[in-house]
Coordinates of all heavy atoms in Angstrom, one line a residue:
A290 N -126.1 94.2 -132.9 CA -125.3 95.1 -132.1 C -125.6 94.8 -130.6 O -124.7 94.9 -129.8 CB -125.8 96.6 -132.4
L298 N -120.4 92.6 -122.6 CA -120.7 92.6 -121.1 C -120.4 91.3 -120.5 O -119.8 91.3 -119.4 CB -122.2 92.9 -120.9 CG -122.6 94.4 -121.1 CD1 -124.1 94.6 -121.0 CD2 -121.9 95.2 -120.1
D299 N -120.7 90.2 -121.2 CA -120.3 88.9 -120.6 C -118.8 88.7 -120.4 O -118.3 88.2 -119.4 CB -120.8 87.8 -121.5 CG -122.4 87.6 -121.4 OD1 -122.9 88.1 -120.5 OD2 -122.9 86.9 -122.3
R309 N -111.4 89.6 -109.6 CA -111.8 89.5 -108.2 C -111.2 88.2 -107.6 O -110.8 88.3 -106.4 CB -113.4 89.4 -108.1 CG -114.0 90.8 -108.2 CD -115.5 90.7 -108.0 NE -116.0 92.1 -108.1 CZ -117.3 92.3 -108.3 NH1 -118.2 91.3 -108.4 NH2 -117.7 93.5 -108.4
A310 N -111.2 87.1 -108.3 CA -110.6 85.9 -107.8 C -109.1 86.1 -107.6 O -108.6 85.7 -106.5 CB -110.9 84.7 -108.7
R317 N -105.4 86.8 -99.8 CA -105.0 85.7 -98.9 C -103.5 85.5 -98.8 O -103.0 85.3 -97.7 CB -105.7 84.4 -99.4 CG -107.2 84.3 -99.2 CD -107.7 82.9 -99.5 NE -107.5 82.5 -100.9 CZ -108.4 82.7 -101.9 NH1 -109.5 83.3 -101.6 NH2 -108.1 82.3 -103.1
T322 N -98.6 86.4 -95.8 CA -97.3 87.0 -95.7 C -97.2 87.9 -94.5 O -96.2 88.0 -93.8 CB -97.0 87.8 -97.0 OG1 -97.1 87.0 -98.2 CG2 -95.7 88.5 -97.0
K323 N -98.3 88.6 -94.3 CA -98.4 89.5 -93.1 C -98.2 88.7 -91.8 O -97.5 89.1 -90.9 CB -99.7 90.3 -93.1 CG -99.8 91.4 -92.1 CD -101.1 92.1 -92.2 CE -101.3 93.2 -91.1 NZ -102.5 93.9 -91.2
V331 N -91.7 88.6 -84.1 CA -91.7 88.0 -82.8 C -90.5 87.2 -82.5 O -89.8 87.3 -81.5 CB -93.0 87.2 -82.5 CG1 -92.9 86.4 -81.3 CG2 -94.2 88.1 -82.5
A332 N -90.1 86.4 -83.5 CA -88.9 85.6 -83.4 C -87.7 86.4 -83.3 O -86.7 86.2 -82.6 CB -88.8 84.6 -84.6
A335 N -87.5 87.9 -79.9 CA -87.1 86.9 -79.0 C -85.6 86.6 -79.1 O -84.8 86.5 -78.1 CB -87.8 85.6 -79.2
H337 N -83.3 88.8 -80.2 CA -82.7 89.9 -79.6 C -82.6 89.8 -78.1 O -81.5 90.1 -77.5 CB -83.3 91.2 -80.0 CG -83.1 91.7 -81.4 ND1 -81.9 92.2 -81.8 CD2 -83.8 91.6 -82.5 CE1 -81.9 92.5 -83.1 NE2 -83.1 92.1 -83.5
G342 N -79.5 88.6 -73.3 CA -79.2 87.8 -72.1 C -77.9 87.1 -72.2 O -77.1 87.1 -71.2
L348 N -70.7 88.9 -70.2 CA -70.0 90.0 -69.4 C -69.8 89.6 -68.0 O -68.8 89.9 -67.4 CB -70.8 91.3 -69.6 CG -70.8 92.0 -71.0 CD1 -71.8 93.2 -71.0 CD2 -69.4 92.4 -71.4
K352 N -66.3 89.2 -66.0 CA -66.0 89.9 -64.7 C -65.5 88.8 -63.7 O -64.6 89.0 -63.0 CB -67.2 90.6 -64.2 CG -67.5 91.9 -65.0 CD -68.7 92.6 -64.5 CE -69.0 93.8 -65.3 NZ -70.3 94.5 -64.9
R356 N -62.0 88.6 -61.8 CA -61.9 88.5 -60.3 C -61.1 87.3 -59.9 O -60.3 87.3 -59.0 CB -63.3 88.5 -59.7 CG -64.0 89.9 -59.7 CD -65.1 89.9 -58.8 NE -66.2 88.9 -59.1 CZ -67.3 89.2 -59.8 NH1 -67.5 90.4 -60.2 NH2 -68.1 88.2 -60.0
H372 N -44.0 81.1 -48.4 CA -42.8 80.2 -48.7 C -41.5 80.9 -48.3 O -40.7 80.3 -47.7 CB -42.8 79.9 -50.2 CG -41.7 79.0 -50.6 ND1 -41.6 77.7 -50.3 CD2 -40.5 79.3 -51.3 CE1 -40.5 77.2 -50.8 NE2 -39.8 78.2 -51.4
H380 N -34.0 78.8 -42.3 CA -32.6 79.3 -42.3 C -32.3 79.8 -40.9 O -31.2 79.5 -40.4 CB -32.4 80.4 -43.3 CG -32.4 80.0 -44.7 ND1 -31.5 79.1 -45.2 CD2 -33.2 80.3 -45.8 CE1 -31.7 78.8 -46.5 NE2 -32.7 79.6 -46.8
D384 N -29.4 78.2 -38.7 CA -28.4 79.0 -38.1 C -28.3 78.8 -36.6 O -27.2 78.7 -36.0 CB -28.6 80.5 -38.5 CG -28.4 80.8 -39.9 OD1 -27.8 79.9 -40.6 OD2 -28.8 81.8 -40.4
S385 N -29.5 78.7 -36.0 CA -29.6 78.5 -34.5 C -29.0 77.2 -34.2 O -28.2 77.0 -33.2 CB -31.0 78.6 -34.1 OG -31.1 78.3 -32.7
Q389 N -25.8 76.5 -31.9 CA -25.9 75.6 -30.7 C -24.9 74.5 -30.8 O -24.2 74.1 -29.9 CB -27.3 75.0 -30.6 CG -28.4 76.0 -30.2 CD -29.8 75.4 -30.2 OE1 -30.0 74.3 -30.6 NE2 -30.7 76.2 -29.8
L396 N -18.3 73.8 -25.5 CA -18.4 73.3 -24.1 C -17.7 71.9 -23.9 O -17.1 71.7 -22.9 CB -19.9 73.1 -23.8 CG -20.7 74.5 -23.6 CD1 -22.2 74.2 -23.4 CD2 -20.2 75.2 -22.4
E412 N -2.7 64.6 -10.3 CA -1.4 63.9 -10.4 C -0.4 64.7 -9.6 O 0.5 64.1 -9.0 CB -1.0 63.8 -11.8 CG -1.8 62.7 -12.6 CD -1.4 62.6 -14.1 OE1 -0.5 63.3 -14.5 OE2 -2.1 61.9 -14.8
P419 N -11.6 61.6 -8.8 CA -12.9 61.6 -8.3 C -13.9 61.2 -9.5 O -14.9 60.7 -9.3 CB -13.2 63.0 -7.8 CG -12.3 63.9 -8.6 CD -11.1 63.0 -8.9
E434 N -38.0 47.2 2.9 CA -39.1 47.8 3.7 C -38.7 47.7 5.2 O -38.1 46.7 5.6 CB -40.4 46.9 3.5 CG -40.9 47.0 2.1 CD -42.2 46.3 2.0 OE1 -42.9 45.9 3.0 OE2 -42.6 46.0 0.8
D439 N -44.6 44.6 16.1 CA -45.9 44.2 16.5 C -46.2 44.7 17.9 O -45.4 44.5 18.8 CB -46.0 42.7 16.5 CG -46.1 42.1 15.1 OD1 -46.5 42.9 14.2 OD2 -45.7 41.0 14.9
E444 N -55.4 44.7 27.3 CA -56.7 44.2 27.7 C -57.7 45.2 27.4 O -57.6 46.4 27.6 CB -56.7 43.9 29.3 CG -55.8 42.8 29.6 CD -55.9 42.4 31.0 OE1 -56.9 42.8 31.7 OE2 -54.9 41.9 31.5
I447 N -60.3 45.7 21.3 CA -60.9 44.8 20.4 C -60.0 44.5 19.2 O -59.4 45.4 18.6 CB -62.2 45.3 19.9 CG1 -63.1 45.6 21.1 CG2 -62.9 44.4 18.9 CD1 -64.4 46.3 20.7

Side-chain angles (χ1 to χ4, degrees):
L298 282 174
D299 287 343
R309 282 184 180 161
R317 284 190 299 271
T322 304
K323 187 176 178 182
V331 168
H337 285 284
L348 290 174
K352 288 178 183 178
R356 285 193 301 260
H372 181 71
H380 289 300
D384 292 344
S385 175
Q389 289 174 357
L396 289 173
E412 286 178 8
E434 293 183 19
D439 287 334
E444 288 183 27
I447 302 173

